[in-house]
Amino acid sequence: EKAVKFYTQAAEQGLAQAQVELGICYEKGEGCVQDNARAARLLRQAAEQGDAHGQHMLGDCYCKGAGVEQDFALVVRLYTLAANQGFARAQSSFGKCCMQGFGVA
């Protein structure tokens, strides 16, 4: 709970890393009540700042339909943004999309 308090303070000041970490807390229900919609909102804030981890995690939300409506085209877009920054997990996730044909033409 203490971590959530401090992540919240930093996230409210616009720190992308804190928005991602707080989003993960809400996604997993660690130190707070699980809330996928709130997690997605926080991850979107980080993603809109160009944070690769936030872009990847938000892509995961859209892939699973966790807190947002499932949208595979947006998944690919978010994974691509993060992958182009060298974020290895996004590169792997994008590759998986390509292999499985999700959101790619």
Side-chain angles (χ1 to χ4, degrees):
E1 291 179 20
K2 188 178 273 191
V4 170
K5 175 186 173 186
F6 288 105
Y7 283 146
T8 299
Q9 290 173 354
E12 288 173 351
Q13 294 179 57
L15 183 65
Q17 182 181 356
Q19 292 164 341
V20 171
E21 295 299 333
L22 186 57
I24 292 169
C25 289
Y26 278 102
E27 177 188 35
K28 295 181 178 182
E30 293 180 352
C32 57
V33 175
Q34 184 179 19
D35 185 340
N36 287 328
R38 188 165 184 182
R41 283 193 304 273
L42 287 158
L43 294 168
R44 181 175 296 109
Q45 290 173 354
E48 287 174 350
Q49 292 182 64
D51 183 86
H53 192 185
Q55 291 165 340
H56 180 255
M57 294 292 297
L58 183 59
D60 285 348
C61 291
Y62 279 100
C63 188
K64 298 181 236 174
V68 292
E69 189 173 327
Q70 202 169 42
D71 183 338
F72 290 117
L74 188 51
V75 170
V76 169
R77 185 169 149 246
L78 289 162
Y79 285 171
T80 300
L81 288 169
N84 286 340
Q85 294 182 65
F87 194 72
R89 285 189 293 187
Q91 292 166 340
S92 177
S93 296
F94 179 69
K96 190 173 187 177
C97 287
C98 290
M99 289 291 292
Q100 296 178 353
F102 293 128
V104 293

